[in-house]
Amino acid sequence: MRVHVADHPLITHKLTVLRDERTPSPTFRALTEELVTLLAYEATRDVRVAEVMIRTPVTETTGVTIAEPRPLIVPILRAGLGMLEGMVKLVPSAEVGFLGMVRNEETLEPSVYAERLPDDLSNRQCFVLDPMLATGGSLLSAIEYLFDRGAQDVTAICLLAAPEGLAAIEKAVEGRDVTIVLGALDERLNEHGYIVPGLGDAGDRLYGTVG
Ligand code: PRP
Ligand code: URA
């Protein structure tokens, strides 16, 4: 498994505002979108392309276009939805599938409550969006879901991760083509499974509390 932790002052600056408990939802949503676009640049480094011939006003030349089958972007509902616009801005020709997952806040076990993905993901490059990688349970379920349907490789973009969750995923996906791109690797998980220092509940901060 490859892990890339962003090391860029703009990303750290935006994450600092995101972490701040005083930051209101509209600013939080705007920053999330901006951060994803910056992280997507690294996450799509190995996106498959095909050569194309084009004519400029001056001459013929070869260039590249995103190859078929098109990449599949999979935001994990709910919080991952806040990352979708930032990603499709960078890869507008990608397809989008959806996975709805929620973590039981007592057991910390994830469960799938919604799914809208192509049945056959053979040969597809998949990009999973979820702002928080805490215990890693939700992201691991998503990764397994995609490989079970034949995905060729999976790249996850997360704003923050805890070392415990990252290690758990690394162990579980051994031998698979998985890349994780992070805005920051935080210190640890607390006793409630929250990332420390983290930013709190990403879904609530994006969209408000649900009962
Ligand atoms: C959050 C977050 C991840 C998950 C991370 O979602 O968006 O999906 O928790 O935790 P884990 O690594 O321990 O599995 P949550 O279950 O709160 O749902 P939400 O996006 O609807 O708020
Ligand atoms: N989910 C969140 O939204 N935040 C955390 O810190 C952990 C899981």
Side-chain angles (χ1 to χ4, degrees):
M1 182 172 97
R2 287 173 297 280
V3 179
H4 177 88
V5 185
D7 179 20
H8 193 291
L10 264 186
I11 291 178
T12 311
H13 164 72
K14 288 178 194 296
L15 277 175
T16 304
V17 183
L18 211 65
R19 291 178 191 278
D20 190 328
E21 64 179 4
R22 295 167 302 180
T23 300
S25 286
T27 312
F28 194 97
R29 287 196 290 268
L31 281 170
T32 298
E33 197 180 313
E34 287 171 24
L35 276 161
V36 174
T37 304
L38 293 171
L39 294 174
Y41 187 70
E42 180 60 37
T44 52
R45 184 172 288 284
D46 293 323
V47 71
R48 270 196 315 259
V49 291
E51 247 184 37
V52 284
M53 284 293 292
I54 56 150
R55 171 170 287 281
T56 75
V58 180
T59 185
E60 276 199 342
T61 187
T62 52
V64 298
T65 186
I66 303 285
E68 295 284 342
R70 291 181 285 160
L72 182 74
I73 298 171
V74 184
I76 307 299
L77 310 181
R78 159 183 71 139
L81 207 50
M83 301 170 76
L84 182 58
E85 269 311 302
M87 184 72 183
V88 293
K89 255 187 198 153
L90 207 70
V91 199
S93 62
E95 278 184 58
V96 181
F98 296 89
L99 259 182
M101 278 190 192
V102 66
R103 183 176 86 150
N104 178 312
E105 290 301 334
E106 249 116 68
T107 64
L108 302 182
E109 287 297 318
S111 60
V112 176
Y113 62 83
E115 180 262 301
R116 193 83 169 87
L117 292 171
D119 288 335
D120 183 9
L121 294 176
S122 306
N123 211 23
R124 299 291 289 262
Q125 291 187 296
C126 297
F127 294 87
V128 177
L129 309 177
D130 194 337
M132 309 303 273
L133 192 175
T135 64
S138 305
L139 183 57
L140 184 59
S141 289
I143 290 172
E144 281 169 351
Y145 225 89
L146 297 170
F147 278 126
D148 284 351
R149 293 191 181 201
Q152 173 174 319
D153 58 67
V154 178
T155 298
I157 304 180
C158 304
L159 301 184
L160 300 181
E164 297 91 327
L166 198 60
I169 293 187
E170 179 149 37
K171 196 167 165 211
V173 302
E174 210 188 325
R176 301 279 208 176
D177 192 347
V178 173
T179 303
I180 299 191
V181 175
L182 301 173
L185 182 58
D186 275 8
E187 286 168 31
R188 62 185 171 87
L189 286 180
N190 70 12
E191 62 279 21
H192 306 294
Y194 272 73
I195 299 174
V196 180
L199 51 75
D201 186 306
D204 287 358
R205 296 207 57 195
L206 281 161
Y207 303 117
T209 315
V210 288

